[in-house]
Amino acid sequence: MKVTVTLDEKLPENELILQTKEKTDAINTIVAYIEDTPKTLTGKIGKKHVMVPVNEFTRFYSSQKKVYGEAGQQEFVLSYRLYELEKLLPPRFVRISNTEIIHLDHVAQFQLSQGGLILIALTNGQQTSSSRRYLKKVKERLQ
Amino acid sequence: MKRKLIANSLLGIVIGTTIGLWMSVIFSLVFAEGGYAPAPPIFTDRYSNPLQAMVISILLWSAIGVLFTLSGLIFSETDWSITKMTVIHLLVTYVIFLPLAMACGWLSLALPTILGFTALFLLIYLIMWLISMQIAKKQVAALNQRLKNTNDKK
């Protein structure tokens, strides 16, 4: 199959238009593959747009109307809203509060603080807390 | 959120009234020798007729019900620590319940009574806090166990 990629600035983020002569099984397979959970996310760092493999992200959080994704030592600005990420990320990513999604593969330990807050220690040394309401979901995802 | 406040208030009115009614029936059974009184004589003596006493009682029962259902939202709707939720719930309930209980005629203004009430209140909240912390500890242990299981599988 010959593939030509053309760019259209007017298209919204993460929308792909496939033009083909007829809708064959091969085309359907390609569409199904593309619609699956994305393997990379586009994030902005400084002025650059970078495609980062989804699994490299440790956590996503929202702050002042922006959504950030941390991968390794870097922090990217994403154009998705948190609830959108919640839907399209693979099951190893789970929402732990109104403002945060974490990657379960990067969780070192769960702890209970002195005052009774559920803390999550990440493998990179960071610490965050989970909201009680989302805890049940976290437990289910950990299976 | 607003809908939750209204729904919880209505629930509070219903539950408060029902509990108040049954408690007053039980107390009347034990103390009122065949008659019925919505509250002790200290209360009923304040009013000129039984209907007035009854209506005021129902309103007070409803208010108490609403107090507890609304303050319960502290536990279900916030992300505060267990300690913070328990302390704030304690303060809110104590400050509002005390005068309401007095208005109902259940508590007198005598110092020993108030001290006894306060001590009981604090004890109940302490127990609630201990239980909440225990439950949270178990939850955290369960989460860590699951985490270990998934990591061991890798």
Side-chain angles (χ1 to χ4, degrees):
Chain A
M1 199 178 288
K2 184 171 184 295
V3 176
T4 310
V5 178
T6 57
L7 299 174
D8 183 355
E9 295 256 18
K10 289 185 239 98
L11 279 176
E13 193 97 315
N14 273 7
E15 191 176 306
L16 199 71
I17 296 184
L18 280 175
Q19 286 184 305
T20 179
K21 185 173 180 180
E22 62 171 315
K23 212 171 177 211
T24 62
D25 280 329
I27 297 292
N28 285 334
T29 312
I30 292 171
V31 171
Y33 175 82
I34 297 171
E35 280 181 340
D36 202 2
T37 49
K39 300 285 189 277
T40 65
L41 284 177
T42 307
K44 194 170 162 195
I45 188 164
K47 294 222 164 118
K48 284 198 302 176
H49 284 266
V50 184
M51 294 217 315
V52 183
V54 165
N55 276 311
E56 280 181 20
F57 282 103
T58 317
R59 57 189 277 257
F60 299 91
Y61 66 92
S62 69
S63 168
Q64 288 163 324
K65 298 197 192 248
K66 283 207 198 148
V67 174
Y68 300 85
E70 275 179 20
Q73 301 284 39
Q74 299 174 304
E75 195 177 79
F76 301 86
V77 178
L78 298 170
S79 57
Y80 299 91
R81 304 247 41 90
L82 223 57
Y83 74 87
E84 289 171 334
L85 284 173
E86 212 182 339
K87 277 189 249 179
L88 59 85
L89 286 168
R92 289 307 284 178
F93 287 87
V94 66
R95 189 151 186 184
I96 56 166
S97 72
N98 270 349
T99 51
E100 201 169 343
I101 293 174
I102 52 161
H103 189 171
L104 286 173
D105 291 342
H106 288 258
V107 172
Q109 207 189 47
F110 292 91
Q111 296 159 330
L112 186 66
S113 78
Q114 288 273 49
L117 258 182
I118 311 257
L119 301 171
I120 302 177
L122 300 176
T123 48
N124 63 12
Q126 285 180 318
Q127 198 184 61
T128 183
S129 69
S130 169
S131 149
R132 229 167 320 272
R133 274 165 292 159
Y134 292 94
L135 213 61
K136 196 168 157 216
K137 194 66 170 295
V138 174
K139 192 173 178 197
E140 287 169 14
R141 286 290 181 86
L142 266 177
Q143 288 231 283
Chain B
M1 186 55 187
K2 202 174 177 186
R3 211 185 307 158
K4 275 197 187 134
L5 288 172
I6 297 174
N8 272 273
S9 300
L10 289 174
L11 190 65
I13 293 173
V14 171
I15 295 179
T17 310
T18 309
I19 295 179
L21 190 62
W22 281 108
M23 299 231 32
S24 64
V25 164
I26 293 172
F27 273 92
S28 297
L29 213 69
V30 176
F31 297 108
E33 287 154 16
Y36 170 78
I42 323 166
F43 174 82
T44 46
D45 289 347
R46 291 182 203 147
Y47 303 99
S48 43
N49 66 61
L51 184 61
Q52 206 178 42
M54 194 66 195
V55 171
I56 303 282
S57 289
I58 296 174
L59 289 173
L60 286 169
W61 296 337
S62 302
I64 293 172
V66 171
L67 168 66
F68 283 98
T69 46
L70 284 186
S71 61
L73 291 174
I74 291 174
F75 286 100
S76 62
E77 301 302 305
T78 67
D79 288 332
W80 298 337
S81 69
I82 292 173
T83 306
K84 186 170 174 181
M85 291 190 305
T86 310
V87 169
I88 294 189
H89 192 267
L90 168 80
L91 292 171
V92 169
T93 344
Y94 185 77
V95 166
I96 301 179
F97 185 64
L98 191 63
L100 282 176
M102 286 189 192
C104 287
W106 304 337
L107 284 178
S108 67
L109 275 165
L111 192 62
T113 317
I114 305 285
L115 286 177
F117 171 76
T118 309
L120 188 65
F121 218 79
L122 290 171
L123 182 66
I124 292 175
Y125 273 80
L126 180 66
I127 295 174
M128 263 175 43
W129 181 83
L130 286 168
I131 293 177
S132 301
M133 287 297 279
Q134 258 315 98
I135 293 175
K137 253 182 224 160
K138 290 232 163 91
Q139 280 179 323
V140 168
L143 284 168
N144 280 329
Q145 183 58 43
R146 291 220 181 169
L147 194 66
K148 187 171 173 293
N149 289 344
T150 18
N151 285 338
D152 286 346
K153 279 189 205 148
K154 286 185 190 162

